[in-house]
Amino acid sequence: MTFEMFGQLLGGIGMFLLGMQLLTNGMKNAAGRSLKKALEFATRSRLRGLVSGTLITALVQSSSAVTVATLGFVNAGLLTLGQSIAVIYGCNIGTTMVGWLVATIGFKIQISAFALPIIGMGMLLQVIGKQQRISHLGTALVGFGIFFIGLDFMRAGFDGLSDDFQLAALGTGVLALGLFVIAGFVMTFLMQASAAVMAIALSLVHTESITMSAAAAVVIGANLGTTTTAILASIGATSNAKRISAAHVAFNLLTGAVGLVLLMLLAGRLDALNPQQYDLVILLALFHTLFNVMGVILMWPLTTPLERFLLTRFRSQEEDEARPRFIDKTIINTPTLAIEAISLELGRVSQLSSRLAREAISSERNASAKLEQQAKGIQYLISKIAEFNQEIGRQNLSPDIHEVLPISMRVMRYYSEVTRLSAKLPEFYSMVDQIENKSVKQAIFNFQKQVVSLIDLCEIQEESSVQGTQGHQLVLTLEKEYQNLKSLLLEQSTLGHLSSDESIALLDAVSHINRLAEQVEKGARYWSYATPAAQRAPLAMPTAATH
């Protein structure tokens, strides 16, 4: 093999990868929000998730883009983990489209006859599109053309390779097939593109440089190699990202193991196929598709157990905190203990929501994702306490215990509102940061400090017996400060020291903070009533004005 042929092969692989990158980026940008809308189809059932994953990946030719979008849907609660796993199954089937493009077009048609005009048309769309959807489609067309030109160079390079390296001479035994699997795995890991490895395998078969069974082993190795991308992407990622990556790895490992066993059994028959009678390139593309479809068939009945298993793994701090620690079905039939358990759980909710509120008041806009994740965990815990509360209500209860249940629900509602308001606060802080009026900034800062002091005072601690009297007095003082701050903002807006947009945003922000403070105080005050009257510590009754 001459240096020129080696350069042709290396350049062909590079152009192929460049074409894939341009094609993927162009299609992703052209799809825009359509990708999200298409994934919404997956929220109905796992079967729809499978179809969505297959079609979207076949269109944009990027399983990673679909995986990222899927992860966003899972984190937003729009997709269950089981549905997202089904989308991942579909992604594996969708990636086989590259093999079909190469097999049906790349080796059947004269590349220059259509690739160059496609590149020219794509560049024309880019020029006239001006960063609109048509421009992104132009990028995709350019990538499509470069993709096939790179494939043409690869094919020519492998023609020269077949004269000097007879890979078929390695044989078809277990050891040889294992080596080809490792080769496919390593190439995918190095290039981070299973499509390129698939194109290499098809090119080797086309030039008869490799046996059919060896090429199939390379394809299996490429499928296994994609797990490295998932593993690398999961490092330092969210719990859901780790679970989806683990599902991807499990899918590929199982299908790879089964596919390799079948390949070892069928290797002799595959290698005996006559290239004059059978189109081996088409057969290899078919094998790639059937291999992934077989994986889905094998994994489909295992999806529910896999989902249950993954939900117990990779738990984040927020998810661990969201798990109830005191309420348990075993104490349902002992209402006194059950009420005490609810009181303890509500104390935890107070601590979690207080921490969230403090972080929200002092946070910046870019912390919103973390706050939303914490808020989700707290809301989940509250929902579990509410379900337990309803279960107790179905028991035969004494009057003093029965009166506690609606009070507990009231406390849950207060802390749920604290959580919701806390998660929304960072939305306002970009405007606060831009305020140049020092007196307004200082007044808002002082108000925030007073609210944090109230949160500290009202947070329910393990040894607390009474919460409320001091907090109630402080919240009345805080209400006066709130009214003074509102007057200041309105005055500064009237004098022209604040724009109308600034004043509206700031009024909304301080209103949110003030309401958050009110809900914190009410939650602590009513918590002391979430125990039977006989066990209740004395507490100043709330005034009607604060209900």
Side-chain angles (χ1 to χ4, degrees), residues 427-446:
E427 296 178 8
F428 298 100
Y429 288 166
S430 60
M431 181 65 72
V432 175
D433 292 340
Q434 296 173 16
I435 299 301
E436 297 180 357
N437 191 308
K438 291 184 179 180
S439 62
V440 170
K441 269 199 163 183
Q442 187 62 44
I444 292 175
F445 176 73
N446 292 338

Side-chain angles (χ1 to χ4, degrees), residues 54-367:
T54 302
L55 296 180
I56 298 171
T57 306
L59 175 65
V60 302
Q61 279 307 305
S62 174
S63 58
S64 59
V66 181
T67 301
V68 169
T70 302
L71 178 59
F73 269 57
V74 175
N75 286 335
L78 300 176
L79 278 178
T80 65
L81 181 60
Q83 289 168 338
S84 70
I85 291 173
V87 173
I88 299 304
Y89 294 166
C91 286
N92 280 273
I93 297 175
T95 54
T96 65
M97 178 60 68
V98 172
W100 286 105
L101 285 173
V102 173
T104 56
I105 300 177
F107 297 138
K108 308 296 182 185
I109 303 173
Q110 185 180 355
I111 299 297
S112 59
F114 77 96
L116 294 177
I118 285 178
I119 293 174
M121 187 183 302
M123 288 306 301
L124 177 63
L125 292 178
Q126 274 194 326
V127 171
I128 66 175
K130 297 181 180 179
Q131 296 302 314
Q132 300 300 319
R133 177 173 292 187
I134 191 171
S135 174
H136 297 310
L137 286 174
T139 301
L141 282 176
V142 171
F144 193 68
I146 295 175
F147 168 94
F148 283 107
I149 290 177
L151 180 64
D152 200 34
F153 279 111
M154 284 172 59
R155 180 177 60 186
F158 281 119
D159 277 330
L161 178 68
S162 63
D163 296 333
D164 300 315
F165 298 96
Q166 292 297 323
L167 297 176
L170 292 175
T172 58
V174 174
L175 180 60
L177 292 178
L179 289 174
F180 282 114
V181 170
I182 293 172
F185 180 90
V186 171
M187 285 191 292
T188 302
F189 173 70
L190 293 176
M191 291 189 285
Q192 290 295 295
S194 60
V197 179
M198 182 65 190
I200 290 173
L202 290 167
S203 298
L204 288 169
V205 168
H206 178 75
T207 59
E208 299 183 15
S209 302
I210 195 172
T211 63
M212 184 68 177
S213 61
V218 171
V219 171
I220 292 174
N223 260 43
L224 292 174
T226 60
T227 61
T228 61
T229 305
I231 292 170
L232 291 173
S234 67
I235 297 175
T238 64
S239 298
N240 282 327
K242 291 177 180 177
R243 289 171 186 144
I244 292 173
S245 295
H248 187 181
V249 171
F251 175 87
N252 285 41
L253 287 179
L254 178 62
T255 55
V258 174
L260 189 56
V261 170
L262 291 175
L263 180 59
M264 289 176 180
L265 295 174
L266 300 173
R269 294 186 179 183
L270 289 174
D271 293 337
L273 294 174
N274 187 348
Q276 305 301 321
Q277 293 180 325
Y278 300 95
D279 190 330
L280 299 186
V281 175
I282 293 290
L283 287 179
L284 185 58
L286 179 62
F287 171 79
H288 189 204
T289 301
L290 292 178
F291 170 71
N292 282 281
V293 171
M294 179 193 69
V296 173
I297 294 172
L298 287 172
M299 289 294 297
W300 196 260
L302 301 177
T303 302
T304 298
L306 178 63
E307 179 184 11
R308 285 199 296 263
F309 173 77
L310 291 176
L311 285 172
T312 64
R313 298 294 184 271
F314 312 113
R315 301 190 69 89
S316 64
Q317 178 188 354
E318 292 79 18
E319 289 172 315
D320 280 330
E321 290 175 340
R323 298 173 67 183
R325 295 181 184 173
F326 302 104
I327 58 176
D328 189 279
K329 290 184 178 180
T330 59
I331 59 174
I332 285 284
N333 296 323
T334 312
T336 303
L337 293 178
I339 289 294
E340 180 66 21
I342 286 182
S343 179
L344 291 171
E345 290 289 7
L346 288 176
R348 286 188 61 228
V349 171
S350 168
Q351 294 162 21
L352 294 174
S353 60
S354 295
R355 183 189 68 190
L356 176 66
R358 281 190 292 265
E359 290 183 11
I361 290 173
S362 59
S363 72
E364 299 175 352
R365 185 177 180 85
N366 57 11

Side-chain angles (χ1 to χ4, degrees), residues 405-423:
L405 298 182
I407 297 175
S408 298
M409 292 297 292
R410 178 185 286 237
V411 175
M412 290 178 224
R413 185 178 69 83
Y414 290 142
Y415 286 129
S416 177
E417 185 67 1
V418 170
T419 302
R420 186 187 71 83
L421 291 169
S422 298

